[in-house]
Amino acid sequence: MLFDTHAHLCSSRFDKVRDELIESLADNGVANYCEIGFDIPSSIAAIELSDKYDFVYASAGVHPHETDALCPKDMDTIRELCAHSKVVALGEIGLDYYYDNSLRENQRKWFDCQLSVAEEISIPITVHSRDAMGDTIDILKAHPKARGIIHCYSGSVESAKILLDMGFYISFAGPITYKNASTALDVVRFVPENRMLIETDSPYLAPVPFRGKDNTPIYVAEIAKKIAQIKGLSFEEVSDITYNNAKRAYEIK
Ligand code: NI
């Protein structure tokens, strides 16, 4: 069975098919997935979905794109949302210097603040980092109790080593199936089996051979197949390993 550690099925792209899609996951080998919040409303929607479906988990937090709009009292809201029994991580939080949709200064400030909340309430985090690995690592280092997942990892082997040494799990998504993924495949080779995770980031980043379509958690199997090929494991082995890693990373009993 597979565990998609990162998807956004609350996206309006799934409005017509959401329940049907979620109800079809088990028959397609996907036992669990985590619905990831990226602002306050999507975090609330993620929690509602996790209340409706036993096998759906949720995260709550504010993505770097949305940080220009944050204010201090939002940290109280995030703290409250994270107290819900199905919320397994605070996130997605981090830095995105590729799109720069929020001022970098605000991205850094609210990444830091949300990390403080995660340490205070002792919950794993899920981190989004794009073209910002140096600052991401520097800010994470200021929060030694922070633990969790680097989602859709797109950095170097050297940065992966630092993050692994800090205790983080590395999650792989569709880009490892793309042509010219040589750095990503070096990272797949490098990450130890007990720290690798798989995800889709649905509806984005559909893996080959579905590239260009809306992604769904069903396609997480393509990520497992690619890892199996690179690491010389069977599909079943990668499924079992990443499933157990996901439960450990999200601290699911
Ligand atoms: Ni995401």
Side-chain angles (χ1 to χ4, degrees):
M1 292 300 261
L2 297 158
F3 196 133
D4 181 355
T5 60
H6 193 115
H8 305 276
L9 301 193
C10 288
S11 162
S12 60
R13 295 204 213 171
F14 295 112
D15 280 352
K16 290 195 176 121
V17 296
R18 183 173 303 107
D19 288 295
E20 193 189 339
L21 172 61
I22 293 172
E23 284 159 17
S24 77
L25 292 179
D27 286 342
N28 286 285
V30 181
N32 299 96
Y33 93 92
C34 188
E35 176 73 26
I36 303 290
F38 53 86
D39 60 8
I40 304 287
S42 64
S43 298
I44 293 169
I47 292 169
E48 285 171 359
L49 209 58
S50 75
D51 274 334
K52 189 169 174 185
Y53 295 103
D54 205 35
F55 56 91
V56 177
Y57 294 92
S59 81
V62 177
H63 189 286
H65 286 348
E66 314 297 332
T67 47
D68 276 351
L70 277 174
C71 65
K73 76 169 177 20
D74 292 323
M75 295 303 108
D76 297 331
T77 307
I78 290 169
R79 204 178 276 112
E80 283 165 28
L81 294 175
C82 286
H84 186 281
S85 63
K86 293 293 287 297
V87 174
V88 291
L90 193 158
E92 58 185 299
I93 56 174
L95 303 174
D96 193 316
Y97 294 171
Y98 179 80
Y99 284 108
D100 279 328
N101 285 357
S102 286
L103 291 173
R104 291 185 181 185
E105 188 189 325
N106 286 336
Q107 294 187 39
R108 287 190 289 266
K109 172 183 170 185
W110 293 109
F111 182 33
D112 188 65
C113 282
Q114 292 183 91
L115 283 166
S116 296
V117 173
E119 285 186 299
E120 177 200 317
I121 63 178
S122 191
I123 188 169
I125 53 170
T126 185
V127 176
H128 171 107
S129 179
R130 188 154 182 204
D131 286 0
M133 197 52 84
D135 281 359
T136 300
I137 289 172
D138 285 348
I139 294 172
L140 287 171
K141 278 187 171 161
H143 296 274
K145 285 186 283 178
R147 61 188 190 273
I149 299 167
I150 313 299
H151 116 83
C152 191
Y153 184 77
S154 61
S156 64
V157 170
E158 292 72 24
S159 298
K161 181 178 187 318
I162 295 169
L163 292 161
L164 287 164
D165 287 345
M166 292 165 73
F168 287 96
Y169 289 79
I170 303 287
S171 185
F172 296 105
I176 69 163
T177 69
Y178 299 170
K179 278 185 190 148
N180 306 321
S182 65
T183 302
L185 296 186
D186 286 342
V187 177
V188 172
R189 277 181 207 101
F190 179 75
V191 173
E193 286 175 20
N194 65 353
R195 295 286 198 86
M196 61 185 189
L197 300 172
I198 54 175
E199 63 166 272
T200 58
D201 205 13
S202 300
Y204 316 108
L205 299 173
V208 171
F210 305 105
R211 201 170 178 187
K213 296 186 180 179
D214 274 349
N215 201 359
T216 85
I218 294 168
Y219 299 158
V220 79
E222 302 304 320
I223 317 302
K225 283 181 203 166
K226 187 72 189 185
I227 291 175
Q229 182 197 327
I230 297 297
K231 287 182 110 53
L233 297 166
S234 69
F235 174 76
E236 288 70 28
E237 285 170 326
V238 173
S239 303
D240 288 352
I241 290 166
T242 53
Y243 187 85
N244 289 320
N245 290 349
K247 288 188 77 173
R248 220 166 49 248
Y250 281 138
E251 300 176 4
I252 295 167
K253 296 273 153 31

